[in-house]
Amino acid sequence: MLFRSGDTLVASQLAGDFTLPKNKNKKIVFIAGGIGITPFRSIIKYLIDTKQKRDIVLFYSNKSAADIVYKEIFDEASMRTGIKTKYIITDSKEAEYTGRLNEQMVKSEVPDYLNRYFYISGPLGIVTASESTLQNLGVQKSHIKTDFFPGFA
């Protein structure tokens, strides 16, 4: 989209609550699908830069391994902050986890899932499916925060 002289641009202030809890001892799980990794990349880079260690597990889902972005940041976070990243590839059988996030993946990688706070970000379909999976596991609705990117499949 190109703007021309005289066009009007509307902007607003930053807003929202998709941020880390102030209590650094809260255990967290990030669930990202595709473009939904963006807010988590920012949060994780902040943790690296400020040398904060938090108990975080990141599930990052993409159609193929080639679609994974920011892997170098997540690798660095693993070494410096202890964040654990698990990649899910939906269109391949050549990954540790394939298909969609499911109850068994959560139970296997996050045995204390009932004591954690979940942040889910991505296309609406991934967000609603992940939220449903967590609710089926008995995760309290108050422990789930969602953010989705409309218009992205």
Side-chain angles (χ1 to χ4, degrees):
M1 173 179 228
L2 295 175
F3 291 99
R4 295 187 180 143
S5 179
D7 285 352
T8 301
L9 175 66
V10 178
S12 65
Q13 66 184 13
L14 294 174
D17 63 355
F18 211 69
T19 58
L20 285 172
K22 292 191 187 319
N23 181 346
K24 294 178 183 180
N25 295 317
K26 284 190 177 181
K27 296 178 178 185
I28 302 167
V29 176
F30 292 155
I31 300 171
I35 191 71
I37 196 63
T38 306
F40 301 133
R41 182 261 181 223
S42 177
I43 291 168
I44 291 170
K45 183 69 169 102
Y46 169 80
L47 294 173
I48 292 169
D49 292 346
T50 59
K51 298 175 176 54
Q52 287 188 49
K53 291 188 184 267
R54 298 240 187 162
D55 190 337
I56 298 174
V57 176
L58 166 65
F59 288 102
Y60 180 19
S61 178
N62 284 282
K63 287 185 180 181
S64 72
D67 294 329
I68 295 170
V69 294
Y70 308 125
K71 187 174 185 319
E72 67 285 349
I73 291 173
F74 305 135
D75 291 346
E76 181 180 358
S78 176
M79 293 183 329
R80 291 187 179 201
T81 69
I83 291 172
K84 180 167 80 170
T85 302
K86 292 296 172 179
Y87 298 99
I88 303 169
I89 305 301
T90 59
D91 289 349
S92 171
K93 301 292 183 215
E94 300 176 16
E96 179 179 7
Y97 288 116
T98 60
R100 304 261 180 229
L101 178 75
N102 61 52
E103 294 175 20
Q104 188 54 45
M105 289 177 196
V106 174
K107 288 179 181 179
S108 175
E109 296 297 335
V110 192
D112 62 348
Y113 63 89
L114 290 174
N115 299 319
R116 290 188 178 253
Y117 289 81
F118 290 81
Y119 291 65
I120 310 169
S121 179
L124 183 58
I126 289 172
V127 171
T128 56
S130 297
E131 189 173 21
S132 177
T133 297
L134 296 175
Q135 288 175 342
N136 288 342
L137 284 167
V139 174
Q140 296 176 42
K141 192 165 181 74
S142 64
H143 284 210
I144 302 171
K145 285 189 175 197
T146 61
D147 188 29
F148 72 93
F149 288 74
F152 288 92

